[in-house]
PDB file of all heavy atoms in Angstrom:
ATOM      1  N   LYS E 128      86.245 108.816  96.249  1.00 90.00           N
ATOM      2  CA  LYS E 128      85.719 110.030  95.808  1.00 90.00           C
ATOM      3  C   LYS E 128      86.272 111.222  96.655  1.00 90.00           C
ATOM      4  O   LYS E 128      86.417 112.314  95.985  1.00 90.00           O
ATOM      5  CB  LYS E 128      84.163 110.145  96.141  1.00 90.00           C
ATOM      6  CG  LYS E 128      83.489 109.174  95.344  1.00 90.00           C
ATOM      7  CD  LYS E 128      81.929 109.174  95.781  1.00 90.00           C
ATOM      8  CE  LYS E 128      81.274 107.847  95.524  1.00 90.00           C
ATOM      9  NZ  LYS E 128      80.613 107.857  94.353  1.00 90.00           N
ATOM     10  N   ASP E 153      84.548 105.275  89.616  1.00 95.00           N
ATOM     11  CA  ASP E 153      83.190 105.566  89.881  1.00 95.00           C
ATOM     12  C   ASP E 153      82.297 105.370  88.650  1.00 95.00           C
ATOM     13  O   ASP E 153      82.722 105.791  87.608  1.00 95.00           O
ATOM     14  CB  ASP E 153      83.001 107.032  90.426  1.00 95.00           C
ATOM     15  CG  ASP E 153      81.835 107.108  91.475  1.00 95.00           C
ATOM     16  OD1 ASP E 153      80.965 106.218  91.414  1.00 95.00           O
ATOM     17  OD2 ASP E 153      81.822 108.101  92.151  1.00 95.00           O
ATOM     18  N   SER E 154      81.253 104.648  88.671  1.00 96.00           N
ATOM     19  CA  SER E 154      80.558 104.260  87.428  1.00 96.00           C
ATOM     20  C   SER E 154      80.143 105.394  86.593  1.00 96.00           C
ATOM     21  O   SER E 154      80.197 105.329  85.311  1.00 96.00           O
ATOM     22  CB  SER E 154      79.340 103.330  87.750  1.00 96.00           C
ATOM     23  OG  SER E 154      78.348 104.163  88.542  1.00 96.00           O
ATOM     24  N   GLU E 155      79.638 106.491  87.257  1.00 98.00           N
ATOM     25  CA  GLU E 155      79.194 107.724  86.416  1.00 98.00           C
ATOM     26  C   GLU E 155      80.360 108.332  85.746  1.00 98.00           C
ATOM     27  O   GLU E 155      80.242 108.719  84.533  1.00 98.00           O
ATOM     28  CB  GLU E 155      78.513 108.710  87.447  1.00 98.00           C
ATOM     29  CG  GLU E 155      77.279 108.258  88.081  1.00 98.00           C
ATOM     30  CD  GLU E 155      77.480 107.281  89.303  1.00 98.00           C
ATOM     31  OE1 GLU E 155      78.643 106.985  89.594  1.00 98.00           O
ATOM     32  OE2 GLU E 155      76.430 106.873  89.839  1.00 98.00           O
ATOM     33  N   ASN E 220      75.846 111.307  97.882  1.00 96.00           N
ATOM     34  CA  ASN E 220      76.773 110.687  96.943  1.00 96.00           C
ATOM     35  C   ASN E 220      76.834 111.285  95.643  1.00 96.00           C
ATOM     36  O   ASN E 220      77.857 111.485  94.996  1.00 96.00           O
ATOM     37  CB  ASN E 220      76.275 109.161  96.787  1.00 96.00           C
ATOM     38  CG  ASN E 220      77.195 108.336  95.812  1.00 96.00           C
ATOM     39  OD1 ASN E 220      78.380 108.359  96.068  1.00 96.00           O
ATOM     40  ND2 ASN E 220      76.667 107.719  94.853  1.00 96.00           N
ATOM     41  N   LYS E 221      75.583 111.762  95.179  1.00 97.00           N
ATOM     42  CA  LYS E 221      75.637 112.393  93.813  1.00 97.00           C
ATOM     43  C   LYS E 221      76.304 113.846  93.957  1.00 97.00           C
ATOM     44  O   LYS E 221      76.899 114.242  92.998  1.00 97.00           O
ATOM     45  CB  LYS E 221      74.100 112.545  93.463  1.00 97.00           C
ATOM     46  CG  LYS E 221      73.934 112.515  91.857  1.00 97.00           C
ATOM     47  CD  LYS E 221      74.693 111.380  91.213  1.00 97.00           C
ATOM     48  CE  LYS E 221      74.408 109.983  91.706  1.00 97.00           C
ATOM     49  NZ  LYS E 221      75.129 108.954  90.971  1.00 97.00           N
ATOM     50  N   GLU E 224      79.793 113.276  93.659  1.00 97.00           N
ATOM     51  CA  GLU E 224      80.156 112.982  92.279  1.00 97.00           C
ATOM     52  C   GLU E 224      80.129 114.200  91.352  1.00 97.00           C
ATOM     53  O   GLU E 224      80.883 114.302  90.377  1.00 97.00           O
ATOM     54  CB  GLU E 224      79.183 111.929  91.708  1.00 97.00           C
ATOM     55  CG  GLU E 224      79.490 110.588  92.383  1.00 97.00           C
ATOM     56  CD  GLU E 224      78.548 109.458  92.001  1.00 97.00           C
ATOM     57  OE1 GLU E 224      77.576 109.676  91.217  1.00 97.00           O
ATOM     58  OE2 GLU E 224      78.832 108.294  92.514  1.00 97.00           O
TER      59      GLU E 224
HETATM   60 MG1   MG O   1      78.715 106.442  91.594  1.00 69.92          MG
END
Side-chain angles (χ1 to χ4, degrees):
K128 298 177 201 264
D153 208 340
S154 62
E155 293 79 0
N220 183 50
K221 213 46 56 180
E224 290 179 356

